[in-house]
């Protein structure tokens, strides 16, 4: 199992537009990924409703987990995405 922790960098957190960018990247990766806020329940990272329901704000600590064979590469790419300001995209 691969796991990464990242701090949300987007100015306004993971609201609708940045969440869409993120969930589309997860879906495109083709591997199951779970995302959670520190101490929270994990949700399917490819689910826009699940991700938005977490109420992720700038500075929140997030954990990404996957058991897929190519998980390390995928999680590294997703961490890079969350570490950028998706509001500027």
């Amino acid at each position: 199992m691969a796991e990464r922790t990242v701090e949300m960098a987007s100015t306004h957190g993971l609201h609708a537009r940045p969440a869409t960018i993120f969930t589309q990247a997860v879906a495109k990766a083709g591997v199951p990924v779970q995302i959670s806020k520190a101490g929270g329940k994990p949700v399917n990272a490819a689910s826009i409703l699940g991700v938005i329901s977490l109420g992720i704000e700038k500075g929140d600590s997030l954990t990404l987990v996957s058991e897929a064979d190519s998980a390390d590469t995928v999680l590294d790419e997703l961490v890079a995405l969350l570490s950028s300001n998706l509001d500027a995209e």
Side-chain angles (χ1 to χ4, degrees), residues 8 10 12-27 35 44-56 62 78 81-82 85-87 89:
M8 185 67 226
S10 286
H12 300 290
L14 214 51
H15 60 87
R17 195 165 90 45
T20 299
I21 294 168
F22 174 74
T23 57
Q24 287 175 347
V26 174
I35 185 171
N44 178 353
S47 166
I48 186 74
L49 293 176
V51 170
I52 289 176
S53 75
L54 294 176
I56 298 168
L62 307 171
L78 295 174
L81 189 62
L82 293 172
N85 186 1
L86 296 173
D87 290 312
E89 297 288 319

Side-chain angles (χ1 to χ4, degrees), residues 11-82:
T11 308
H12 300 290
L14 214 51
H15 60 87
R17 195 165 90 45
T20 299
I21 294 168
F22 174 74
T23 57
Q24 287 175 347
V26 174
K28 184 177 178 182
V31 299
V33 177
Q34 298 282 311
I35 185 171
S36 62
K37 282 175 57 170
K41 180 182 173 190
V43 299
N44 178 353
S47 166
I48 186 74
L49 293 176
V51 170
I52 289 176
S53 75
L54 294 176
I56 298 168
E57 297 180 9
K58 180 179 172 77
D60 284 348
S61 179
L62 307 171
T63 302
L64 302 171
V65 178
S66 180
E67 295 183 7
D69 290 337
S70 60
D72 285 319
T73 302
V74 169
L75 293 185
D76 288 342
E77 292 169 3
L78 295 174
V79 163
L81 189 62
L82 293 172

